């Protein structure tokens, strides 16, 4: 198939950036979206032009590196699918595809489709952990954890930290990302000791990084390639309220 | 036999079960106040790097951590699916430290160091305990206890898992422990940096030269020791299950600075990957080996049978692994399963549009367990398969074929994980240590975390405590020279202005490697490979085309450096394969096989580690081959049998 692409090009964070048009020829329906981008880039290089920069690594939907907004949707049209897992059989000959970076104040563009998501690391740094130094642990089966608790914690822990939730939210809120970590650790007995402090610190770090507030539209979960649910945000809010209330007295 | 004084294993003697404990006691300690004064560089934030950085910082060292990706959490380890082994014997099915040790030595076809492997098995239970303490949500049974599954090469269930994304959960655990130390200012994090060179002063590793991938700046970082945790080199084949940015550059630069490279030809071809579909293919996707617990591998009995799978009656199917290996069945080790798939395809009994695939069929499992239970265990893998192929594996058997997956070879290290360059320690897949000629499933995660959480915290202290390490800074001549060298090399890439892209060269190299240095090898082919790689390398330096400039994010220049190194490493792999005139594990030399086509080892001549020293200069490639003999005191050398 042949496609018309409108791709965002931007030299660096200062540059204003603009859309540019490209043609992708002889694209096979078995290609992944990023393989289609590879084909376009190889052609650009051969024509003496600069290829489009984009982040990617695992190409199997788990590292969270790929980050494109495709026709207005973070990671494209398919539910529960990262850009790298999207396949060209989803498109048809002659389609126009608009490709942009994840946009948010807290995610400045580095070049073309590459953005700076280091704010996510700063949030984890503030409390997305259990303080257990190497060598402290007891036998793992001394702490039975009911299967459904473990499963719920696991579901929250599957977040890949891609930032699609932020890109999808009209307020560019990071609530889904932050709450997924708070829920993962808060649902486990090991995570209780730091639960309140964690909520306070992580929420504060989120606010400092310039993410917007959550107005419960649910756009984040709809865009999330791992289908992280809204119930995590509710849990985050509860934890946050409880610990702020305590801290006030 | 050519031995080398630098190849001392430093493994302790005495009863094997006491060695590590004795060694721990014998090693020097660094007192808590002094730890703070030591800076340690950790390159890589996969399981090995992140766990090492966290543990060393917890002890009080000042750690500088580097990775290529924008966040340390995205290291290639994140993609590991199936699980992690540990000798917990929670299933009461006869597992023990000794059995895990035995299985690993045997699975590796007797080409690993007994002392190291025993230590790995001994440490394995503590890894699970620590990961649970960090909040890793492993799969559990209804009673709340941890669940296990079985994996290839073992007859017990000792694999811990978190659905099909164990690597993700383990890495996020190690990453969170490291980020806690970033918050405490004990770890300084440098993402989007690529190590281009190792800096040595007075023969000791004292720092690294890196390129800032955003600004293009060449930076120097000095330290008292360097830990290389940069993963494997499977991407030398272009197509592999490794992440796109996985590369050998850091290890290769160290090799050219004097670190010996061990067993470079030992690569693992994983039996269950999604077959390739076209020339645009950029990587191959693994379907976890855990699928072989419930999936049955088969091909049609008749050559060239092109009927769709559901039209082939039971009586005309050949469940060849169950037929040839009745006791291990579908759970034979990876090298055996891969080779058998290749034999079937060579006999023209392969399936699918290209004929380069075999079936992995779940219909019996679905009948036995129901679709829900199968989905509970493998749901995300089935989903991934369907996304890539457009076929539903609940209805149609999966098509699978072997693909390059893991490299057992790597920088040579002693029992302390130190390379032949003092102060340069190598952890995780980047070293050669524990898996011999074939790694068992779920043992890489175990090894990476053993190295990082539980071994290096001791052995690094021993190095720092027993060596006088002068203070130096980045102004030292050695750093300046290394920076200049790195810049010169970058300029060279841009100055060629040829016609072919980096990927053009990488694909050609991959084809040579897969063809001649892949699943089966022979002397003639290996010689041909050496010649062809040489030609391709020459062409690379004459006809490469790199767009743009060096002073901003430019993926092409990143890839160019990596492929330039792969073009050298590929040759060494072929040379190593040529010299190793035997078959063992993943290294199958067609000249050396049993009448049943199993790998035929030559223990008298090759029961050793081959360690290669770079003895050339720049583009003039020369190597000397040395041997570290392997003694087997505990596991008797036998022909492996999984029948
Ligand atoms: C698809 C897949 C599934 C797997 N499943 C399993 C499994 O179920 N069980 C199991 O035991 N094993 C599995 N393995 C193997 C296992 O995942 C790897 O061997 C292991 O994760 C390697 O960890 P590592 O820490 O050594 O390196 P990696 O995780 O590869 O990390 C390397 C790090 O080094 C950095 N780096 C590399 N080069 C440079 C440089 N020049 N400068 C700066 N930084 C650099 C990278 O950015 C990265 O942070 C699997 C492998 C694959 C490919
Ligand atoms: S490239 Fe890793 S999730 Fe897409």
């Amino acid at each position: 198939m042949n496609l018309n692409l409108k791709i965002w090009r931007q030299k660096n964070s200062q540059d204003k950036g603009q859309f540019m048009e490209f043609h992708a020829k002889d694209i096979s329906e078995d290609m992944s979206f990023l393989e289609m981008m590879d084909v376009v880039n190889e052609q650009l290089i051969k024509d003496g032009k600069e290829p489009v920069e984009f982040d990617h690594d695992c190409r199997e939907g788990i590292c969270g590196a790929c980050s494109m907004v495709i026709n207005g949707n973070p990671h494209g049209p398919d539910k529960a699918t990262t850009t790298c897992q999207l396949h060209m059989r989803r498109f048809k000959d002659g389609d126009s595809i608009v490709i942009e970076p994840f946009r948010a104040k807290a995610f400045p563009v580095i070049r073309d489709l590459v953005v700076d998501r280091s704010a996510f690391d700063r949030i984890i740094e503030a409390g997305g952990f259990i303080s257990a130094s190497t060598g402290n642990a007891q036998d793992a089966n001394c702490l039975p954890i009911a299967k459904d608790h473990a499963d719920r914690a696991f579901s929250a822990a599957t977040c890949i930290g891609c930032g699609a939730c932020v890109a999808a939210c009209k307020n560019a809120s990071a609530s889904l990302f932050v709450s997924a970590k708070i829920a993962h650790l808060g649902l486990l007995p090991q995570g209780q000791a730091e639960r309140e402090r964690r909520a306070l610190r992580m929420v504060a770090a989120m606010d400092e990084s310039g993410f917007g507030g959550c107005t419960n539209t649910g756009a984040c979960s709809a865009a999330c390639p791992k289908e992280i649910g809204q119930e995590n945000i509710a849990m985050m809010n509860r934890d946050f309220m409880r610990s702020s209330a305590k801290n006030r007295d | 036999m050519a031995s080398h004084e630098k190849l001392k294993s430093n493994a302790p003697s005495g009863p094997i079960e006491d060695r590590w404990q004795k060694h721990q006691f014998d090693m020097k300690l660094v007192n808590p106040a002094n730890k703070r004064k030591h800076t340690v560089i950790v390159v890589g934030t996969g399981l090995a790097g992140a766990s090492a950085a966290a543990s060393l910082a917890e002890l009080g060292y000042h750690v500088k951590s580097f990775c290529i990706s924008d966040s340390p959490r995205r290291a290639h380890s994140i993609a590991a699916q199936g699980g992690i082994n540990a000798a917990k014997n929670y299933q009461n099915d006869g597992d023990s430290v000794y059995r895990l040790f035995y299985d690993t030595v045997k699975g590796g076809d007797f080409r690993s160091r007994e002392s190291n492997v025993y230590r790995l098995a001994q440490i394995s239970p503590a890894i699970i305990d620590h990961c649970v303490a960090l909040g890793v949500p492993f799969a559990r049974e209804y009673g709340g206890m941890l669940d296990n599954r079985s994996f290839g090469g073992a007859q017990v269930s000792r694999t811990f898992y978190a659905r099909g994304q164990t690597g993700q959960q383990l890495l996020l655990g190690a990453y969170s422990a490291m980020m806690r130390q970033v918050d405490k200012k004990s770890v300084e994090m440098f993402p989007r940096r690529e190590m281009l060179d190792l800096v040595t002063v007075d023969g000791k590793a004292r720092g690294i030269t890196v390129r800032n991938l955003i600004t293009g700046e060449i930076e120097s970082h000095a330290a008292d020791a360097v830990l290389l945790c940069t993963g494997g080199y499977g991407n030398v084949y272009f197509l592999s299950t490794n992440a796109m940015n996985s590369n050998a550059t850091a290890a290769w630069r160290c090799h050219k600075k004097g670190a010996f490279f061990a067993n470079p030809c030992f690569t693992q071809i994983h039996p269950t990957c999604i077959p390739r579909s076209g020339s645009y293919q950029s990587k191959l996707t693994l379907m976890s080996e855990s699928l072989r617990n419930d999936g049955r591998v088969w091909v049609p009995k008749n050559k060239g049978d092109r009927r769709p799978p559901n039209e082939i009656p039971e009586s005309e199917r050949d469940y060849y692994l169950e037929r040839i290996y009745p006791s291990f069945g579908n759970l034979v080790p990876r090298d055996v399963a891969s080779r058998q798939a290749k034999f079937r395809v060579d006999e023209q009994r392969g399936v699918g549009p290209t004929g380069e695939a075999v079936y992995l069929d779940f219909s019996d499992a679905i009948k036995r367990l129901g679709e829900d239970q199968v989905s509970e265990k493998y749901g995300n893998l089935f989903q991934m398969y369907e996304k890539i192929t457009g076929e539903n594996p609940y209805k149609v058997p999966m098509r699978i074929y072997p693909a390059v997956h893991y490299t057992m070879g790597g920088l040579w290290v002693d029992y302390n994980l130190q390379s032949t360059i003092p102060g340069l320690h190598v952890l995780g897949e980047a070293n050669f240590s524990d898996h011999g000629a074939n790694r068992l499933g779920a043992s890489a995660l175990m090894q990476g975390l053993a190295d990082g959480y539980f071994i290096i915290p001791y052995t690094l202290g021993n190095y720092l405590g027993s060596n006088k390490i002068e203070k130096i800074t980045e102004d030292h001549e050695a750093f300046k020279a290394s920076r200049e060298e790195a810049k010169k090399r970058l300029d060279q890439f841009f100055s060629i202005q040829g016609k072919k892209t980096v990927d053009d060269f990488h694909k050609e190299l991959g084809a040579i490697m897969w063809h001649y240095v892949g699943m089966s090898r022979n002397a003639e082919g290996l010689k041909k490979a050496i010649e062809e790689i040489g030609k391709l390398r020459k062409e690379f330096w004459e006809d490469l085309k790199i767009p743009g400039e060096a002073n901003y994010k430019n993926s092409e220049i990143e890839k160019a450096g990596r492929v330039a190194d792969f073009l050298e490493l590929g040759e060494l792999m072929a040379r190593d394969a040529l010299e190793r005139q035997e078959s063992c594990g993943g290294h199958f030399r067609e000249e050396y096989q049993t009448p049943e086509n199993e790998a035929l080892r030559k223990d008298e001549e090759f029961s050793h580690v081959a360690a290669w020293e770079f003895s050339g200069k720049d583009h003039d490639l020369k190597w000397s081959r040395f041997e570290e003999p392997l003694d087997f005191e505990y596991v008797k050398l036998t022909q492996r049998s999984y029948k």
Side-chain angles (χ1 to χ4, degrees):
Chain A
M1 66 180 98
N2 297 324
L3 303 161
N4 301 313
L5 308 178
K6 260 172 89 178
I7 306 180
W8 185 259
R9 309 272 342 224
Q10 183 172 339
K11 286 205 160 66
N12 51 47
S13 56
Q14 271 83 51
D15 184 26
K16 271 184 63 192
Q18 58 175 338
F19 279 109
M20 287 170 78
E21 295 208 23
F22 301 90
H23 297 285
K25 288 196 208 85
D26 298 328
I27 299 303
S28 148
E29 63 164 29
D30 286 328
M31 282 182 191
S32 71
F33 198 83
L34 296 185
E35 282 167 347
M36 182 275 292
M37 291 295 291
D38 292 342
V39 170
V40 170
N41 274 344
E42 286 292 293
Q43 195 54 50
L44 283 173
I45 300 170
K46 291 199 167 132
D47 294 345
K49 304 199 179 103
E50 292 199 51
V52 179
E53 288 289 336
F54 59 89
D55 266 327
H56 65 109
D57 200 12
C58 73
R59 294 203 175 189
E60 37 189 83
I62 193 76
C63 75
C66 62
S67 45
M68 296 180 186
V69 175
I70 299 165
N71 288 342
N73 300 308
H75 291 307
D78 283 359
K79 233 176 91 177
T81 304
T82 55
T83 300
C84 59
Q85 288 180 302
L86 180 63
H87 276 68
M88 297 313 291
R89 63 179 75 89
R90 188 68 173 69
F91 299 90
K92 53 182 198 308
D93 189 39
D95 273 1
S96 292
I97 308 179
V98 182
I99 307 170
E100 303 165 76
F102 280 4
R103 294 189 196 274
K105 186 168 138 232
F107 289 169
V109 172
I110 289 172
R111 191 175 173 83
D112 297 339
L113 306 172
V114 178
V115 298
D116 178 354
R117 287 169 286 186
S118 53
F120 272 11
D121 285 323
R122 290 195 295 277
I123 294 172
I124 297 295
E125 195 187 311
F129 48 75
I130 290 172
S131 299
S133 296
T134 312
N136 283 326
Q138 57 176 356
D139 184 273
N141 262 353
C142 288
L143 189 70
I145 302 176
K147 186 171 173 347
D148 61 321
H149 273 247
D151 286 351
R152 274 164 59 206
F154 172 83
S155 294
T158 57
C159 166
I160 58 175
C162 63
C165 46
V166 177
C169 174
K170 65 178 170 35
N171 309 324
S173 166
S175 290
L176 193 65
F177 168 77
V178 178
S179 69
K181 189 47 63 187
I182 286 178
H184 158 210
L185 300 176
L187 285 163
L188 294 172
Q190 306 91 300
Q192 298 312 309
E194 291 167 293
R195 188 162 168 183
E196 293 178 359
R197 180 181 136 90
R198 177 179 309 122
L200 281 180
R201 289 198 67 197
M202 287 182 77
V203 169
M206 164 169 77
D207 294 343
E208 271 163 38
S209 298
F211 293 103
C214 172
T215 46
N216 292 317
T217 65
C220 49
S221 292
C224 174
K226 299 294 144 183
E227 302 186 292
I228 306 280
Q230 293 287 296
E231 69 282 4
N232 296 303
I233 299 185
M235 177 164 172
M236 169 176 81
N237 290 340
R238 278 198 307 276
D239 279 12
F240 179 74
M241 300 296 259
R242 193 180 320 126
S243 38
S244 338
K246 270 199 199 161
N247 272 37
R248 233 176 277 132
D249 329 314
Chain B
M1 144 172 328
S3 55
H4 194 290
E5 38 132 22
K6 286 189 182 162
L7 294 180
K8 277 216 310 256
S9 77
N10 291 318
S13 52
I16 199 157
E17 54 281 2
D18 300 336
R19 286 182 193 169
W20 175 232
Q21 205 181 7
K22 175 166 166 276
H23 193 65
Q24 281 174 303
F25 183 73
D26 289 342
M27 279 188 289
K28 291 257 167 34
L29 299 173
V30 178
N31 89 42
N34 283 342
K35 288 202 182 89
R36 235 172 299 129
K37 298 181 194 150
H38 287 295
T39 296
V40 182
I41 283 176
V42 181
V43 191
T45 59
L47 286 180
S51 59
S55 302
L56 293 171
E58 286 160 9
L59 285 172
Y61 294 106
H62 173 227
V63 175
K64 290 172 106 175
S65 162
F66 297 81
C67 67
I68 290 179
S69 47
D70 64 329
S71 163
R73 66 180 286 153
R74 303 200 207 285
H76 163 62
S77 294
I78 200 99
Q81 302 172 351
I84 176 168
N85 288 329
K88 281 283 198 188
N89 193 29
Y90 281 160
Q91 304 305 322
N92 195 28
D93 60 356
D95 200 12
S96 62
V97 166
Y98 200 88
R99 187 176 297 282
L100 175 53
F101 157 68
Y102 177 89
D103 286 351
T104 308
V105 172
K106 176 185 168 199
D109 219 355
F110 307 92
R111 292 294 173 263
S112 50
R113 226 185 256 146
E114 280 191 337
S115 302
N116 284 57
V117 177
Y118 196 89
R119 172 177 64 186
L120 176 64
Q122 236 170 352
I123 287 173
S124 65
I127 298 174
I128 302 303
D129 299 341
H130 183 53
C131 291
V132 167
L134 287 173
V136 171
F138 284 120
R140 289 181 183 264
E141 295 165 352
Y142 282 101
M145 299 297 166
L146 290 163
D147 192 18
N148 290 119
R149 51 165 63 142
S150 49
F151 244 62
Q155 287 173 309
V156 294
S157 290
R158 62 159 76 97
T159 305
F160 294 78
Y161 66 100
R163 218 165 291 170
Q165 40 215 92
T166 316
Q168 180 197 28
Q169 295 308 319
L170 294 173
L171 183 62
L172 292 181
Y175 156 79
S176 70
M178 182 174 78
M179 294 315 276
R180 171 175 161 237
Q181 297 301 321
V182 173
D183 180 47
K184 292 188 165 174
K185 311 269 182 280
S186 307
V187 172
E188 260 184 283
M189 189 62 232
F190 297 88
R192 292 209 197 260
R193 299 294 197 294
E194 180 151 357
M195 170 176 167
L196 298 180
D197 197 14
L198 176 77
V199 179
T200 56
V201 176
D202 299 331
K204 293 196 181 93
R206 294 309 306 271
I208 59 174
T209 304
V210 302
R211 179 165 180 270
N212 179 323
L213 300 179
I214 300 300
T215 63
E217 233 167 304
I218 304 294
E219 305 168 355
S220 292
H221 296 270
D224 298 337
V226 175
L227 270 47
L228 214 67
C229 312
T230 48
Y233 51 89
N235 276 350
V236 70
Y237 291 85
F238 186 70
L239 285 182
S240 84
T241 60
N242 289 12
M244 301 300 286
N245 292 321
S246 296
N247 71 96
T249 286
W252 196 249
R253 300 280 113 203
C254 293
H255 173 56
K256 290 187 90 174
K257 277 271 166 99
F260 288 19
F261 209 109
N263 298 335
C265 80
F266 286 173
T267 45
Q268 177 162 83
I269 316 271
H270 195 292
T272 52
C273 302
I274 301 180
R276 63 192 77 196
S277 66
S279 61
Y280 48 80
Q281 189 107 24
S282 59
K283 74 159 283 174
L284 294 168
T285 302
L286 173 80
M287 289 282 102
S288 167
E289 161 166 325
S290 59
L291 293 170
R292 285 198 276 143
N293 269 308
D294 290 302
R296 298 178 69 197
V297 178
W298 65 274
V299 291
K301 277 194 178 148
N302 301 321
K303 252 192 201 177
D305 186 341
R306 310 304 286 171
R307 285 176 293 175
N310 56 359
E311 286 174 23
I312 301 179
E314 205 51 37
S315 60
E316 289 175 45
R317 300 177 177 192
D318 178 13
Y319 294 89
Y320 57 90
L321 290 177
E322 297 169 23
R323 172 172 57 84
I324 309 174
Y325 307 100
S327 67
F328 278 69
N330 292 297
L331 286 177
V332 290
R334 292 176 173 175
D335 54 332
V336 177
S338 292
R339 214 145 42 230
Q340 289 296 343
K342 179 182 189 305
F343 292 154
R344 299 296 86 78
V345 165
D346 291 349
E347 292 162 4
Q348 293 171 15
R349 296 204 281 145
V351 301
T354 58
E356 276 212 354
V358 299
Y359 289 126
L360 180 62
D361 196 333
F362 289 88
S363 47
D364 283 352
I366 291 171
K367 263 185 235 141
R368 191 176 73 242
L369 305 166
E371 206 168 302
D372 283 355
Q373 252 200 67
V374 170
S375 145
E376 163 86 3
K377 276 177 155 167
Y378 308 115
N380 67 323
L381 297 170
F382 278 38
Q383 203 185 13
M384 184 150 84
Y385 181 85
E386 186 168 359
K387 270 181 190 152
I388 294 175
T389 62
E391 285 176 6
N392 177 353
Y394 293 101
K395 302 259 154 16
V396 197
M398 283 185 178
R399 284 173 292 114
I400 52 159
Y401 199 60
V404 173
H405 177 58
Y406 181 88
T407 48
M408 281 75 69
L411 292 182
W412 184 90
V413 290
D414 68 2
Y415 189 70
N416 295 319
L417 305 182
Q418 180 168 258
S419 71
T420 52
I421 300 176
L424 176 68
H425 293 72
V426 190
L427 285 64
E429 192 175 338
N431 73 25
F432 89 107
S433 64
D434 299 348
H435 309 293
N438 173 56
R439 173 175 70 76
L440 291 183
S443 284
L445 303 183
M446 168 173 75
Q447 181 226 330
L449 291 179
D451 288 0
Y453 282 135
F454 294 107
I455 300 174
I456 201 69
Y458 292 91
T459 59
L460 186 74
N462 184 50
Y463 170 75
L464 295 172
S466 48
N467 281 280
K468 177 130 188 48
I469 295 162
E470 310 286 340
K471 276 275 152 253
I472 57 164
T473 66
E474 286 86 359
D475 301 328
H476 191 283
E477 269 310 304
F479 283 98
K480 219 172 113 195
S482 169
R483 282 196 300 270
E484 306 273 283
E485 195 57 41
K487 281 186 197 143
K488 211 174 86 194
R489 194 171 141 92
L490 288 170
D491 289 342
Q492 231 177 328
F493 289 129
F494 283 105
S495 69
I496 304 169
Q497 292 292 338
K499 287 189 294 296
K500 284 168 70 171
T501 65
V502 184
D503 278 7
D504 289 338
F505 286 104
H506 198 173
K507 285 181 183 176
E508 280 181 55
L509 173 65
I512 299 171
M513 296 300 295
W514 179 245
H515 211 79
Y516 299 113
V517 201
M519 257 191 289
S520 76
R521 305 148 176 198
N522 61 54
E524 200 191 331
L526 290 165
K527 286 182 194 148
K528 180 120 202 255
I530 294 170
E531 195 188 307
E532 303 238 315
I533 296 168
K535 275 196 230 149
L536 188 63
R537 196 165 53 228
K538 185 159 172 288
E539 198 192 333
F540 176 88
W541 287 102
E542 287 166 358
D543 200 20
L544 177 69
K545 185 177 179 80
I546 297 290
E549 289 165 43
N551 57 352
Y552 48 79
K553 175 93 187 73
N554 183 340
S555 305
E556 290 301 306
I557 193 67
E558 297 166 23
K559 291 194 291 188
R562 298 172 198 161
V563 172
D565 290 336
F566 282 144
L567 281 162
E568 300 184 355
L569 169 59
E571 175 171 336
L572 183 63
M573 290 167 70
R575 287 190 184 279
D576 186 48
L578 185 62
E579 289 293 315
R580 189 170 281 277
Q581 293 161 32
E582 65 162 348
S583 295
C584 56
H587 170 63
F588 190 73
R589 280 284 299 265
E590 288 160 11
E591 302 94 318
Y592 310 99
Q593 48 181 311
T594 67
E596 296 91 41
N597 308 111
E598 303 293 344
L600 184 64
R601 288 198 326 266
K602 293 279 185 80
D603 291 328
E604 321 74 59
E605 293 159 78
F606 290 99
S607 185
H608 61 239
V609 176
W612 296 78
E613 178 184 33
F614 182 70
S615 49
K617 200 175 174 326
D618 300 331
H619 294 292
D620 174 27
L621 304 183
K622 278 201 204 83
W623 289 276
S624 314
R625 182 183 188 273
F626 298 99
E627 293 167 10
E628 181 205 331
L630 294 170
D631 297 321
F632 294 91
E633 288 173 63
Y634 289 86
V635 185
K636 228 178 60 228
L637 280 161
T638 52
Q639 189 70 45
R640 279 190 316 173
S641 168
Y642 292 95
K643 296 217 159 165

